Amino acid sequence: MPTTSTFLPTCVSVDLSALAHNLAQFRKGLSPGCDVLAVIKANAYGHGSVHTAKALIRQGVSRVAVVSIEEGITLRQAGINAPIVILGPVFHEQFTELFTHQLTPVISDAAILPALGQAAASLPTPYPIHLKVETGMGRLGLAHAELVDLFSSRKFPRALHLEGLMTHLADADGPATDTTEEQLTRFRKAIEIVRTSGFRVPLIHAANSAGAVRFPDAQFSLVRPGIMLYGYHTLPPSIAAPDLKPVLTLRTTIAQLRTVQAGHKVSYNGTFTAKTPTKIAILPIGYADGLSRHLSNRGSVLIRGQRAPIAGLVCMDMIMVDVTGIAGAAVGDEAVIIGRQGDEQITADDIARWTGTIAYEVLCTIGPRVPRLYHEG
Ligand SMILES: Cc1ncc(COP(=O)(O)O)c(C=O)c1O
């Protein structure tokens, strides 16, 4: 991590006290005994997985989830000893790495269980796994019939410990509740099948952020929040969300200013033509840093507490913004892409609206070359 004295023209700053605040607010809605499995995949939705994991663990989170074994190894190599659940698919070639780094796989395909069981047979104790049940997402997971087959015929390998049983909700933030209710009914049946076969599964989980807030029935022993920890949500307006604060600010700095005359064009392919003499600021951030090209001639940034519209196409490493109306705009001024400046604010939701996506994508596509700085408050 860069030291705080390094000058960073373009950087993300992550407010760890906002992260702690969001966790505390989210926890207020949990039933007693229900714990948080914090989802920190995709570099903690762009916030930086190692620092985010450490901050959450300091707040009492006992387990974290990522998608890939590589993401899990990054956390282990940073000294994180808490249980790490790998939500994504696991391949035969990865068993050794899984065991070496003590990562807990989610098994979503019954076909891999015999081989995993065989690989784990030489370990001193049964290896913990979570089993995923497909209840309506149409993605990973064992279908009902596969689950019945696995447990009724006692095929579950002895070298494995069934630590968790999970599913994933497809529509917890949708306008209606019926899809989620049907999924929860199917999941309860799956729990019954496993329990009646004599397995006592300590960890049962189904709900993402929206599921946990909107469907108290979906809070089993764990819930898996991601987006709400980072200060955003996608709940319909009729549902009260916890009081959340965006954790991440993305800022850059004016590198150069130029006044272009009426008729002059700005950026590739000349999609912006100045109508009158126009003051253009050049900012060192582009689509390689995660600023979508769909923001070309659309979005704006904050400079001196005012909105400066993006002029022309977003380049790989730069954007140009119109600062004609911003008195005193100067080289070295801060330009906020996501965050607050004065009385103005641009959120990841605003950028998502301008670019036709969701805040998740805006956050997790912030590029790896943008340094992340961490602070409390
Ligand atoms: C399996 C799983 N659980 C939980 C989450 C967290 O979801 P959210 O960020 O909506 O809380 C995700 C995110 O996509 C996921 O894939």
Side-chain angles (χ1 to χ4, degrees):
M1 188 175 66
T3 63
T4 40
S5 60
T6 318
F7 173 65
L8 297 168
T10 300
C11 66
V12 155
S13 56
V14 175
D15 180 354
L16 296 176
S17 58
L19 182 73
H21 166 90
N22 296 337
L23 173 67
Q25 294 297 316
F26 179 81
R27 274 179 168 152
K28 280 187 185 170
L30 298 185
S31 349
C34 179
D35 225 336
V36 165
L37 168 57
V39 178
I40 57 164
K41 61 185 176 151
N43 202 23
Y45 293 38
H47 295 66
S49 63
V50 169
H51 285 81
T52 302
K54 288 184 175 172
L56 291 169
I57 290 166
R58 280 199 298 277
Q59 298 300 321
V61 165
S62 53
R63 289 189 160 71
V64 294
V66 291
V67 152
S68 68
I69 293 190
E70 296 71 37
E71 287 182 314
I73 293 174
T74 300
L75 296 177
R76 285 285 181 253
Q77 286 174 342
I80 291 165
N81 298 318
I84 299 173
V85 176
I86 307 294
L87 296 171
V90 171
F91 297 86
H92 290 75
E93 295 81 355
Q94 297 176 304
F95 292 165
T96 307
E97 279 191 315
L98 204 58
F99 300 153
T100 306
H101 297 281
Q102 294 287 293
L103 303 169
T104 309
V106 170
I107 300 301
S108 48
D109 182 354
I112 206 166
L113 275 173
L116 183 62
Q118 211 168 22
S122 55
L123 301 175
T125 52
Y127 197 79
I129 68 152
H130 293 208
L131 204 59
K132 187 167 191 173
V133 188
E134 158 55 12
T135 56
M137 175 74 184
R139 207 170 64 177
L140 297 173
L142 275 73
H144 183 86
E146 292 174 295
L147 200 71
V148 172
D149 179 53
L150 179 66
F151 287 96
S152 63
S153 53
R154 309 208 164 269
K155 287 182 190 158
F156 190 85
R158 284 168 179 274
L160 302 178
H161 162 50
L162 185 58
E163 180 189 67
L165 190 67
M166 67 171 282
T167 193
H168 189 46
L169 302 176
D171 197 35
D173 58 355
T177 57
D178 47 342
T179 305
T180 304
E181 278 152 11
E182 284 162 22
Q183 280 198 265
L184 291 173
T185 303
R186 287 188 204 112
F187 188 47
R188 274 186 224 100
K189 278 191 192 138
I191 298 170
E192 202 48 41
I193 291 168
V194 175
R195 285 194 176 142
T196 51
S197 310
F199 284 83
R200 295 194 52 197
V201 192
L203 303 175
I204 309 254
H205 47 116
N208 58 356
S209 300
V213 169
R214 194 176 182 191
F215 300 93
D217 275 7
Q219 296 178 8
F220 295 90
S221 44
L222 289 178
V223 288
R224 301 188 307 269
I227 196 73
M228 284 189 188
L229 299 177
Y230 309 109
Y232 290 90
H233 74 85
T234 50
L235 286 166
S238 58
I239 307 293
D243 167 41
L244 303 170
K245 296 182 183 169
V247 172
L248 175 150
T249 297
L250 173 60
R251 56 167 63 90
T252 184
T253 308
I254 298 183
Q256 196 174 343
L257 287 164
R258 69 168 358 94
T259 299
V260 296
Q261 298 308 316
H264 277 223
K265 294 181 187 303
V266 172
S267 195
Y268 289 116
N269 305 134
T271 63
F272 176 93
T273 307
K275 293 193 178 69
T276 52
T278 302
K279 199 169 174 189
I280 295 289
I282 294 108
L283 306 179
I285 186 167
Y287 61 76
D289 303 297
L291 212 60
S292 168
R293 208 162 168 274
H294 294 295
L295 287 167
S296 301
N297 292 308
R298 282 196 84 124
S300 32
V301 308
L302 302 178
I303 294 173
R304 298 195 173 220
Q306 294 177 61
R307 286 177 188 252
I310 295 177
L313 295 187
V314 171
C315 308
M316 185 185 288
D317 315 301
M318 267 165 275
I319 53 170
M320 277 62 81
V321 296
D322 182 346
V323 292
T324 313
I326 304 180
V331 168
D333 277 2
E334 175 195 73
V336 169
I337 311 288
I338 301 174
R340 218 173 243 296
Q341 204 187 49
D343 296 333
E344 285 280 354
Q345 186 180 19
I346 294 176
T347 64
D349 283 327
D350 293 325
I351 296 194
R353 210 177 46 253
W354 295 333
T355 56
T357 183
I358 50 176
Y360 293 72
E361 188 179 345
V362 172
L363 295 171
C364 75
T365 51
I366 297 174
R369 79 175 175 190
V370 181
R372 271 71 170 170
L373 298 175
Y374 297 86
H375 65 101
E376 303 269 351

